[in-house]
Every structure is written in structure tokens, then in C-alpha cells.
Tab-separated table of all heavy atoms in Angstrom:
chain	number	residue	atom	x	y	z
F	16	TYR	N	110.150	46.733	71.425
F	16	TYR	CA	109.182	47.474	70.571
F	16	TYR	C	109.553	49.014	70.642
F	16	TYR	O	109.705	49.549	71.768
F	16	TYR	CB	107.760	47.334	71.032
F	16	TYR	CG	107.318	45.818	71.023
F	16	TYR	CD1	107.472	45.009	72.096
F	16	TYR	CD2	106.757	45.404	69.837
F	16	TYR	CE1	107.090	43.761	72.099
F	16	TYR	CE2	106.367	43.977	69.807
F	16	TYR	CZ	106.536	43.229	70.906
F	16	TYR	OH	106.124	41.912	70.956
F	17	GLN	N	109.609	49.672	69.497
F	17	GLN	CA	110.043	51.024	69.392
F	17	GLN	C	108.870	51.899	68.960
F	17	GLN	O	108.239	51.566	67.927
F	17	GLN	CB	111.254	51.228	68.505
F	17	GLN	CG	111.676	52.658	68.353
F	17	GLN	CD	112.783	52.886	67.343
F	17	GLN	OE1	112.940	52.044	66.476
F	17	GLN	NE2	113.424	54.012	67.356
F	18	LEU	N	108.665	52.886	69.581
F	18	LEU	CA	107.660	53.992	69.194
F	18	LEU	C	108.351	55.259	68.857
F	18	LEU	O	109.050	55.789	69.627
F	18	LEU	CB	106.616	54.264	70.343
F	18	LEU	CG	105.523	55.260	70.020
F	18	LEU	CD1	104.601	54.742	68.990
F	18	LEU	CD2	104.807	55.610	71.269
F	19	GLU	N	108.111	55.643	67.645
F	19	GLU	CA	108.720	56.943	67.120
F	19	GLU	C	107.756	58.081	67.575
F	19	GLU	O	106.885	58.448	66.833
F	19	GLU	CB	108.951	56.966	65.656
F	19	GLU	CG	109.968	55.859	65.249
F	19	GLU	CD	110.207	55.829	63.712
F	19	GLU	OE1	109.495	56.580	63.053
F	19	GLU	OE2	111.080	55.083	63.281
F	20	ALA	N	107.972	58.601	68.735
F	20	ALA	CA	107.052	59.546	69.421
F	20	ALA	C	107.307	61.004	69.014
F	20	ALA	O	106.603	61.816	69.609
F	20	ALA	CB	107.119	59.305	70.890
F	21	ARG	N	108.093	61.274	68.136
F	21	ARG	CA	108.280	62.634	67.737
F	21	ARG	C	107.063	63.235	66.952
F	21	ARG	O	106.647	64.335	67.014
F	21	ARG	CB	109.517	62.786	66.849
F	21	ARG	CG	110.881	62.728	67.617
F	21	ARG	CD	111.961	62.973	66.735
F	21	ARG	NE	113.251	62.954	67.483
F	21	ARG	CZ	114.429	63.041	66.933
F	21	ARG	NH1	114.544	63.181	65.579
F	21	ARG	NH2	115.556	63.057	67.682
F	22	SER	N	106.351	62.294	66.300
F	22	SER	CA	105.139	62.664	65.563
F	22	SER	C	103.926	62.575	66.489
F	22	SER	O	103.805	61.559	67.213
F	22	SER	CB	105.008	61.750	64.340
F	22	SER	OG	103.742	62.017	63.779
F	23	PRO	N	103.102	63.640	66.457
F	23	PRO	CA	101.903	63.566	67.376
F	23	PRO	C	101.110	62.306	66.968
F	23	PRO	O	100.259	61.853	67.871
F	23	PRO	CB	101.196	64.913	66.963
F	23	PRO	CG	102.211	65.788	66.409
F	23	PRO	CD	103.197	64.909	65.670
F	24	THR	N	100.982	61.871	65.725
F	24	THR	CA	100.231	60.696	65.390
F	24	THR	C	100.696	59.492	66.052
F	24	THR	O	99.970	58.520	66.181
F	24	THR	CB	100.251	60.491	63.888
F	24	THR	OG1	101.592	60.276	63.461
F	24	THR	CG2	99.646	61.743	63.091
F	25	ALA	N	101.977	59.503	66.533
F	25	ALA	CA	102.489	58.331	67.173
F	25	ALA	C	101.744	58.034	68.490
F	25	ALA	O	101.637	56.910	68.851
F	25	ALA	CB	104.024	58.447	67.429
F	26	PHE	N	101.292	58.943	69.137
F	26	PHE	CA	100.603	58.805	70.427
F	26	PHE	C	99.265	58.140	70.255
F	26	PHE	O	98.722	57.516	71.178
F	26	PHE	CB	100.516	60.200	71.180
F	26	PHE	CG	101.818	60.670	71.764
F	26	PHE	CD1	102.568	61.609	71.032
F	26	PHE	CD2	102.273	60.093	72.904
F	26	PHE	CE1	103.721	62.013	71.529
F	26	PHE	CE2	103.488	60.529	73.412
F	26	PHE	CZ	104.208	61.558	72.721
F	27	ALA	N	98.709	58.318	69.075
F	27	ALA	CA	97.457	57.576	68.679
F	27	ALA	C	97.764	56.104	68.687
F	27	ALA	O	96.922	55.272	69.051
F	27	ALA	CB	96.884	58.073	67.407
F	28	VAL	N	98.900	55.801	68.104
F	28	VAL	CA	99.286	54.320	68.091
F	28	VAL	C	99.743	53.871	69.523
F	28	VAL	O	99.384	52.761	69.875
F	28	VAL	CB	100.547	54.197	67.150
F	28	VAL	CG1	101.002	52.771	67.155
F	28	VAL	CG2	100.202	54.690	65.757
F	29	GLY	N	100.304	54.771	70.302
F	29	GLY	CA	100.677	54.312	71.661
F	29	GLY	C	99.433	54.121	72.552
F	29	GLY	O	99.601	53.310	73.486
F	30	SER	N	98.386	54.775	72.302
F	30	SER	CA	97.205	54.503	73.093
F	30	SER	C	96.595	53.093	72.813
F	30	SER	O	95.722	52.643	73.597
F	30	SER	CB	96.102	55.620	72.776
F	30	SER	OG	95.706	55.533	71.463
F	31	GLN	N	96.923	52.536	71.634
F	31	GLN	CA	96.448	51.208	71.332
F	31	GLN	C	97.358	50.100	71.620
F	31	GLN	O	97.006	48.903	71.575
F	31	GLN	CB	96.019	51.149	69.794
F	31	GLN	CG	95.010	52.233	69.421
F	31	GLN	CD	93.646	52.027	70.097
F	31	GLN	OE1	93.227	50.927	70.270
F	31	GLN	NE2	93.058	53.122	70.512
F	32	PHE	N	98.615	50.440	71.899
F	32	PHE	CA	99.595	49.380	72.258
F	32	PHE	C	99.509	49.006	73.709
F	32	PHE	O	99.832	49.849	74.589
F	32	PHE	CB	100.998	49.879	71.849
F	32	PHE	CG	102.069	48.823	72.057
F	32	PHE	CD1	102.265	47.900	71.099
F	32	PHE	CD2	102.844	48.793	73.244
F	32	PHE	CE1	103.265	46.821	71.239
F	32	PHE	CE2	103.858	47.829	73.304
F	32	PHE	CZ	103.990	46.852	72.373
F	33	MET	N	99.049	47.829	74.044
F	33	MET	CA	98.940	47.340	75.332
F	33	MET	C	100.143	46.679	75.971
F	33	MET	O	100.691	45.913	75.316
F	33	MET	CB	97.669	46.400	75.418
F	33	MET	CG	96.405	47.076	75.016
F	33	MET	SD	95.967	48.490	75.975
F	33	MET	CE	94.712	49.277	75.004
F	34	LEU	N	100.376	47.023	77.212
F	34	LEU	CA	101.589	46.495	77.882
F	34	LEU	C	101.236	45.226	78.655
F	34	LEU	O	100.018	45.004	78.836
F	34	LEU	CB	102.167	47.507	78.867
F	34	LEU	CG	102.539	48.822	78.319
F	34	LEU	CD1	103.052	49.805	79.432
F	34	LEU	CD2	103.634	48.694	77.225
F	35	GLN	N	102.187	44.494	78.940
F	35	GLN	CA	102.021	43.269	79.722
F	35	GLN	C	102.799	43.379	81.117
F	35	GLN	O	103.716	44.141	81.086
F	35	GLN	CB	102.485	42.035	78.928
F	35	GLN	CG	101.728	41.831	77.708
F	35	GLN	CD	102.219	40.663	76.875
F	35	GLN	OE1	103.111	39.847	77.399
F	35	GLN	NE2	101.772	40.448	75.718
F	36	PRO	N	102.372	42.615	82.090
F	36	PRO	CA	103.135	42.689	83.352
F	36	PRO	C	104.562	42.336	83.109
F	36	PRO	O	104.923	41.376	82.423
F	36	PRO	CB	102.415	41.599	84.177
F	36	PRO	CG	101.054	41.481	83.679
F	36	PRO	CD	101.171	41.731	82.173
F	37	GLY	N	105.489	43.053	83.752
F	37	GLY	CA	106.882	42.886	83.646
F	37	GLY	C	107.517	43.671	82.497
F	37	GLY	O	108.755	43.708	82.396
F	38	ASP	N	106.758	44.294	81.641
F	38	ASP	CA	107.323	45.176	80.657
F	38	ASP	C	108.137	46.371	81.183
F	38	ASP	O	107.763	46.874	82.251
F	38	ASP	CB	106.240	45.697	79.640
F	38	ASP	CG	105.726	44.734	78.735
F	38	ASP	OD1	106.251	43.583	78.692
F	38	ASP	OD2	104.729	44.991	78.043
F	39	VAL	N	109.254	46.689	80.513
F	39	VAL	CA	109.963	47.852	80.835
F	39	VAL	C	109.866	48.893	79.740
F	39	VAL	O	110.197	48.636	78.659
F	39	VAL	CB	111.492	47.476	81.043
F	39	VAL	CG1	112.277	48.694	81.369
F	39	VAL	CG2	111.610	46.467	82.125
F	40	VAL	N	109.397	50.067	80.112
F	40	VAL	CA	109.186	51.135	79.189
F	40	VAL	C	110.523	52.025	79.376
F	40	VAL	O	110.700	52.558	80.504
F	40	VAL	CB	107.950	51.983	79.408
F	40	VAL	CG1	107.876	53.116	78.450
F	40	VAL	CG2	106.703	51.077	79.214
F	41	PHE	N	111.299	52.189	78.367
F	41	PHE	CA	112.585	52.892	78.461
F	41	PHE	C	112.536	54.106	77.528
F	41	PHE	O	112.239	53.941	76.315
F	41	PHE	CB	113.708	51.991	78.127
F	41	PHE	CG	115.104	52.645	78.028
F	41	PHE	CD1	115.785	52.865	79.236
F	41	PHE	CD2	115.548	53.157	76.820
F	41	PHE	CE1	116.970	53.515	79.226
F	41	PHE	CE2	116.825	53.698	76.821
F	41	PHE	CZ	117.495	53.912	78.022
F	42	ILE	N	112.876	55.260	78.020
F	42	ILE	CA	112.963	56.518	77.226
F	42	ILE	C	114.364	56.952	77.159
F	42	ILE	O	114.983	57.257	78.183
F	42	ILE	CB	112.080	57.601	77.772
F	42	ILE	CG1	110.648	57.067	78.167
F	42	ILE	CG2	111.985	58.730	76.877
F	42	ILE	CD1	109.841	56.572	76.996
F	43	GLY	N	114.930	56.939	76.005
F	43	GLY	CA	116.342	57.249	75.782
F	43	GLY	C	116.521	58.762	75.840
F	43	GLY	O	115.643	59.569	75.599
F	44	ALA	N	117.799	59.101	76.027
F	44	ALA	CA	118.171	60.577	76.103
F	44	ALA	C	118.516	61.064	74.694
F	44	ALA	O	118.843	60.375	73.770
F	44	ALA	CB	119.296	60.725	77.017
F	45	ALA	N	118.333	62.368	74.449
F	45	ALA	CA	118.655	62.997	73.267
F	45	ALA	C	120.097	63.028	73.066
F	45	ALA	O	120.880	62.947	74.016
F	45	ALA	CB	118.022	64.511	73.178
F	46	GLY	N	120.587	63.293	71.796
F	46	GLY	CA	121.984	63.308	71.508
F	46	GLY	C	122.694	64.314	72.358
F	46	GLY	O	123.843	64.111	72.894
F	47	VAL	N	122.115	65.553	72.358
F	47	VAL	CA	122.777	66.626	73.086
F	47	VAL	C	122.919	66.344	74.548
F	47	VAL	O	123.959	66.506	75.191
F	47	VAL	CB	122.052	68.002	72.888
F	47	VAL	CG1	122.594	69.060	73.683
F	47	VAL	CG2	122.017	68.395	71.398
F	48	THR	N	121.902	65.711	75.044
F	48	THR	CA	121.961	65.314	76.450
F	48	THR	C	123.046	64.337	76.792
F	48	THR	O	123.771	64.433	77.715
F	48	THR	CB	120.605	64.754	76.925
F	48	THR	OG1	119.575	65.643	76.661
F	48	THR	CG2	120.605	64.297	78.361
F	49	ARG	N	123.228	63.352	75.883
F	49	ARG	CA	124.258	62.394	76.026
F	49	ARG	C	125.707	63.061	75.950
F	49	ARG	O	126.573	62.728	76.677
F	49	ARG	CB	124.171	61.263	74.938
F	49	ARG	CG	122.870	60.433	75.106
F	49	ARG	CD	123.013	59.112	74.334
F	49	ARG	NE	123.412	59.334	72.967
F	49	ARG	CZ	122.481	59.540	72.001
F	49	ARG	NH1	121.235	59.719	72.264
F	49	ARG	NH2	122.904	59.733	70.738
F	50	TRP	N	125.780	63.988	75.022
F	50	TRP	CA	127.085	64.731	74.855
F	50	TRP	C	127.329	65.586	76.159
F	50	TRP	O	128.497	65.547	76.704
F	50	TRP	CB	127.003	65.618	73.615
F	50	TRP	CG	128.074	66.606	73.632
F	50	TRP	CD1	127.964	67.948	73.628
F	50	TRP	CD2	129.501	66.417	73.569
F	50	TRP	NE1	129.209	68.659	73.587
F	50	TRP	CE2	130.160	67.631	73.508
F	50	TRP	CE3	130.346	65.184	73.511
F	50	TRP	CZ2	131.508	67.804	73.430
F	50	TRP	CZ3	131.652	65.328	73.364
F	50	TRP	CH2	132.205	66.633	73.408
F	51	ASN	N	126.290	66.236	76.620
F	51	ASN	CA	126.517	66.995	77.939
F	51	ASN	C	126.928	66.218	79.063
F	51	ASN	O	127.720	66.545	79.847
F	51	ASN	CB	125.282	67.877	78.155
F	51	ASN	CG	124.973	68.904	77.234
F	51	ASN	OD1	125.835	69.405	76.495
F	51	ASN	ND2	123.706	69.399	77.129
F	52	ARG	N	126.276	65.010	79.153
F	52	ARG	CA	126.606	64.074	80.297
F	52	ARG	C	128.127	63.712	80.119
F	52	ARG	O	128.893	63.512	81.104
F	52	ARG	CB	125.697	62.900	80.312
F	52	ARG	CG	124.345	63.354	80.742
F	52	ARG	CD	123.366	62.094	80.682
F	52	ARG	NE	122.009	62.466	81.175
F	52	ARG	CZ	121.037	61.689	81.111
F	52	ARG	NH1	121.186	60.478	80.612
F	52	ARG	NH2	119.884	62.062	81.582
């Protein structure tokens, strides 16, 4: 499941999306960060 969190309104959606045991929440790196690495 992908959440487009750049928009402030996305966090209103995130507050209603319920997780389940065993879920993995993954936050990817920005493009510049990947390039720097």
C-alpha cells in the first residue's frame, strides 16, 4: 500500500489506514539521497 505523503491531506488518510500485526512500514529515500549514497 502506497501513501503519497507529500500532501498534508495525505496524513488525514494515513490516520484512518489501520495496520495489522506483521506489517512493514517502509519509507524510501529521496532521489538526491540515493545519488549521494
Side-chain angles (χ1 to χ4, degrees):
Y16 299 92
Q17 180 186 18
L18 177 68
E19 298 180 354
R21 284 183 178 176
S22 171
T24 58
F26 287 98
V28 177
S30 66
Q31 301 298 319
F32 184 82
M33 298 301 167
L34 302 179
Q35 297 180 8
D38 282 354
V39 177
V40 180
F41 175 83
I42 311 301
V47 174
T48 301
R49 297 197 306 274
W50 165 244
N51 288 339
R52 289 176 179 171

